[in-house]
Amino acid sequence: MHRRRKTLLAALLGPALLLGTACGAGTTGAGTGTEAAPAAVAPERFRHPGVLVGGAQLAAVRRHVEAGEEPWTSAYEAMGESEYAALDYTPHPARTVACASNAGTDACVAEREDAIAAYTHALMWSVSGKAAHAAKAVGIMDAWSKTVKEHTRDDADLQTAWSGSSWARAAEIVHAGYPAWQSPAVQRFKWMLRKAYLPAVTARVPDYNGNWELAMTDAAIGMAVFLEDRTVFEDAVRRYRARVPAYFYLSSDGVLPKPPPGGTIDTADELATYWFGQRTYADGLGQETCRNFMHIGYSLAATAHIAETAWHQGLDLYREEAERIGAALEFHARYQLGATAPKWLCGGRVERTMGPDVEVALNHLEGRMGMKLPETAKLAVSQRPGGTDDLFVAWETLTHASNPTPA
């Protein structure tokens, strides 16, 4: 269900062009015809913890849970009751993680689940103060850093994006406050991220469905903060600034959506095919709206994750695209909640399969910026306590519901 749309695009563009794209031809931002983006500026000094969640947010969560307040208490209890939070959780590391489209080895699922488990235990430790959870997170991360060497096959970029984003969040929380995770093990984990994850999540995939590059950029910026790598951070910011406007449409873009950055798709017919047959564009529509809302949810979540991590590092990417993100949230929340799709939208049929993907963006746009997002707020409440999609979204009611704390 997450496979690249090569078959349809091959009929449109020809196999030679697609082969070049799949091998990384083209560079982000080239040939898009868009205005030059602002300079990507990495912080002189990275803030820790600062990947998706910051220290002030974690402190607020602790206060809410200790006071028995909702929705945080229910969210914490749900997390604690999940298999990911079990202190006897057993990781299953693999040397090679080979993930084909819509298939793959057992290691593909194991890696994603183990990364979420490490993040879950990091959060459990942060809220409860029980060192056993921090030790379990370290044990899971150490098991993988001692073992994994490579990711292969068609979905390697997406697999490393999903698992890598959770690894970075887990490592960031634990490393920031648990000195028992000692330097040799930390350095080995950092080396794992550099060698087995970063090459894949920084690959160029311009003509693939946009949820790929957004998820990859989510992982890349999280790793950049944990690794304190300004070059990777700035590249992730550039990719965000290029891909988000090409994924979510605003009427100010013109009659047609912006083409995928660095790609080969730019005519009206090519764009309609890329947008799953959609030819009428409205504010907030997404490139994969007419595919299903599950992939739109992935993209909304990844977009918010990138902006949230950058915000914790002193760079406000939210404000640059607040109108676009807000329109996308409200557009899709309305139909996810059951509004009838008009004929011009996906032929009148939409697949309402969005997961727990809106808490982070809602918290910032409404809580910090004061935007009014009534449909999104209604959707978030209906999904609480938000759990995990078992890919790269986890426990965001706990961490971000009504938590507009400063960086």
Side-chain angles (χ1 to χ4, degrees):
M1 63 186 169
H2 310 296
R3 71 178 303 160
R4 310 162 187 178
R5 297 196 63 240
K6 286 186 178 178
T7 304
L8 188 55
L9 287 171
L12 178 63
L13 301 177
L17 285 176
L18 271 174
L19 180 60
T21 299
C23 294
T27 56
T28 299
T32 64
T34 59
E35 295 180 2
V41 179
E44 288 297 327
R45 186 172 183 175
F46 287 95
R47 301 170 183 171
H48 305 290
V51 176
L52 186 59
V53 290
Q57 284 177 317
L58 292 170
V61 171
R62 284 193 294 274
R63 291 194 300 271
H64 290 310
V65 173
E66 288 170 359
E69 296 170 347
E70 295 293 352
W72 307 277
T73 297
S74 293
Y76 177 68
E77 290 173 350
M79 181 175 71
E81 292 168 0
S82 74
E83 61 182 353
Y84 293 116
L87 285 171
D88 61 355
Y89 185 96
T90 302
H92 296 87
R95 184 185 189 282
T96 298
V97 183
C99 305
S101 296
N102 297 320
T105 62
D106 291 344
C108 302
V109 174
E111 180 184 41
R112 297 194 298 265
E113 291 182 344
D114 288 357
I116 290 174
Y119 179 51
T120 301
H121 281 285
L123 288 174
M124 290 293 298
W125 167 66
S126 178
V127 177
S128 72
K130 295 180 180 178
H133 286 294
K136 176 57 68 172
V138 167
I140 296 168
M141 292 188 287
D142 284 352
W144 276 89
S145 67
K146 291 175 181 177
T147 307
V148 69
K149 300 299 180 186
E150 62 180 353
H151 294 79
T152 63
R153 304 188 72 178
D154 293 344
D155 280 2
D157 300 343
L158 197 56
Q159 172 72 16
T160 51
W162 287 337
S163 52
S165 60
S166 298
W167 286 135
R169 293 166 203 161
E172 179 74 356
I173 292 173
V174 174
H175 187 238
Y178 185 67
W181 193 24
Q182 296 180 351
S183 181
V186 174
Q187 293 306 315
R188 184 175 60 239
F189 189 81
K190 289 182 176 181
W191 186 246
M192 176 194 82
L193 295 182
R194 286 198 180 277
K195 300 299 288 186
Y197 293 84
L198 270 178
V201 300
T202 55
R204 299 311 183 199
V205 290
D207 287 343
Y208 295 173
N209 287 311
N211 79 85
W212 278 64
E213 192 168 34
L214 289 167
M216 290 160 67
T217 305
D218 179 7
I221 199 168
M223 292 182 207
V225 172
F226 177 65
L227 297 170
E228 299 197 322
D229 191 316
R230 300 181 80 248
T231 299
V232 174
F233 184 94
E234 292 184 352
D235 181 63
V237 171
R238 284 190 290 268
R239 296 184 82 176
Y240 169 96
R241 286 171 167 161
R243 178 59 77 168
V244 171
Y247 191 89
F248 298 112
Y249 175 81
L250 281 180
S251 56
S252 56
D253 297 335
V255 176
L256 298 176
K258 294 177 182 290
T264 59
I265 300 168
D266 56 11
T267 69
D269 287 343
E270 290 168 356
L271 285 164
T273 299
Y274 187 55
W275 285 60
F276 290 83
Q278 184 69 16
R279 289 182 178 272
T280 300
Y281 305 101
D283 285 351
L285 187 79
Q287 183 250 314
E288 295 177 276
T289 299
C290 294
R291 183 184 189 185
N292 54 55
F293 281 18
M294 178 174 64
H295 287 85
I296 286 290
Y298 296 162
S299 298
L300 285 168
T303 295
H305 294 168
I306 299 161
E308 184 77 1
T309 295
W311 186 81
H312 282 297
Q313 302 305 321
L315 179 62
D316 192 352
L317 295 179
Y318 280 116
R319 191 167 297 278
E320 295 178 14
E321 294 294 351
E323 180 184 1
R324 191 181 302 273
I325 297 170
L329 287 166
E330 287 292 276
F331 183 93
H332 294 94
R334 181 180 306 111
Y335 295 112
Q336 178 67 27
L337 287 166
T340 301
K343 245 345 217 187
W344 64 263
L345 176 62
C346 311
R349 299 177 63 184
V350 294
E351 190 172 318
R352 309 172 205 271
T353 48
M354 190 184 298
D357 301 317
V358 302
E359 292 278 22
V360 177
L362 177 66
N363 181 58
H364 186 91
L365 296 185
E366 190 173 77
R368 296 186 185 126
M369 295 185 66
M371 292 177 64
K372 300 300 182 184
L373 302 172
E375 298 295 323
T376 309
K378 190 185 304 181
L379 176 60
V381 169
S382 75
Q383 294 177 325
R384 289 175 181 167
T388 175
D389 63 2
D390 301 314
L391 298 174
F392 76 118
V393 175
W395 322 121
E396 292 179 0
T397 296
L398 178 69
T399 57
H400 287 82
S402 301
N403 195 349
T405 48

